[in-house]
Amino acid sequence: MEYFILLVSAILVNNFVLSRFLGICPFLGVSKSISTAMGMSGAVIFVITIASAVTWALQKFLLEPWHLEKFLQTLAFILVIAALVQLIDIVMKRFAPPLHAALGIYLPLITTNCAVLGVAVINMKDGNGFLKSVLFGFAAAVGFAFALLIFTGLREKIDRADPPRCFKGVAISLVTAGLLSLAFMGFSGLVK
Amino acid sequence: MDSITTSTLCIGGIGLVSAAALAIADKFLTVPEDPRLAKVLELLPGANCGGCGFAGCADYAKAMVLKGVETNLCAPAGSASAKAIAVLLGLDAGRNPERRVALVLCCGDFTEAVRRSKYNGIAECAAAQAVAGGDKGCTYGCLGYASCVRVCPVQAIRLEKGIAQVNKHRCISCGKCVATCPRKLIKLVPYKAEIHVLCSNPEKGPVVKKVCGTGCIGCKMCAKLAPEAITMDGFLAKVDYTKELKNPELIVKCPGKCIRSA
């Protein structure tokens, strides 16, 4: 039950993009067509899940014993996540070419994304255990994918509509994102 | 140890370990690529228009290198680079197709063609067409909602007075607009051809006249003046592009004003 609440909370209530304000850059940048949004979502889920496992280990076995977690966390996490993603990219290209073809170009884009780092930092702040960290990372990424796909669907429709001239392009996209965030406010109170 | 030393050691260590891991992975796990692939890719235009039938230039280059697909499928690259690729890969260059360009077979702009209703929906030709066959009086002419303009990878099409016009010098004949137009108005014609019948309405003269000032009324004058190159398809004159058409006087003589140079 505890894990279920964690899932619901990370996907809907504290949605990373729409409630926590993280990962806005890919949310706005990669939301022009459903196919690229799918690729991005897959890459984000993959990277965040693995990154939360690795950062947990880093925190537990390196930073905490040496009392460095107070000020070195951000730097160490960025370094490790970036190297890890690069490594995954190389390994994937060799052993899973179809997966690499689908996710390849999105992987480098999110190496030091704030959503990825945000998951790691929130995990440490909440003092989550290993399993909980990984699950929270996965759920947060699914929440991101969820928001991104909804938004992309809306944007594809808006592209074909005929909004007033002053709203065209970025303006109407940002208005849509705001309304979507407002809609997600409806989930607050579902889980404390 | 003080914290400066530990933090330096820690970050330095992480950096060193990850650098070593990446170096090892790069050394032992790189996928060897055919060196010809990069060379072929250089010879392709890189427009990723998909006119060859493959998903972009890289995919087409791969197909040529690995599967020996013909090298002349890329219209934008032209015959010169088709030959260069063929030499590089030891393949047969095949026939050299004549350069073709897209042409919108309609000249009924908003000064000439009648609109029968007001359309306020999605600004997309296919959508307008779906609403009771479009808002234009002529159910064969260009709707002017610029679907072809948006799909063109080289910005060769633009709207002029409410109808699409192709800049033939920029057109790479990828065929995307041809596939997009819901009224099938866009055709690929030889680049060299200069005289065209810019109408697609096959109805009788009076019917055409009612909806458009510049439609083909089926008077057959052009077919009489240039019988070898212009054929009548019912009440619509059509240019046979396999023959040479050398009758510039048709442009002024056409009573429907739809024979034009482009």
Side-chain angles (χ1 to χ4, degrees), chain A residues 9-10 13-24 118 122 125-126 136 140 181:
Chain A
S9 140
V13 183
N14 292 318
N15 187 288
F16 254 64
V17 182
L18 299 170
S19 307
R20 284 200 208 258
F21 226 59
L22 291 166
I24 297 289
I122 289 172
K125 199 185 75 193
D126 292 354
F136 178 73
S181 169

Side-chain angles (χ1 to χ4, degrees), chain A residues 68 72 80 83 87 93-94 160, chain B residues 14 18 28-29 122-124:
Chain A
L68 299 170
L72 220 53
V80 168
L87 190 67
K93 201 172 180 185
R94 175 70 197 267
R160 285 158 198 282
Chain B
I14 295 173
S18 15
F28 292 103
L29 296 177
I122 303 166
E124 191 79 52

Side-chain angles (χ1 to χ4, degrees), chain B residues 171-184:
Chain B
C171 177
I172 57 173
S173 78
C174 66
K176 279 195 165 174
C177 51
V178 178
T180 300
C181 182
R183 292 188 157 179
K184 308 275 169 254

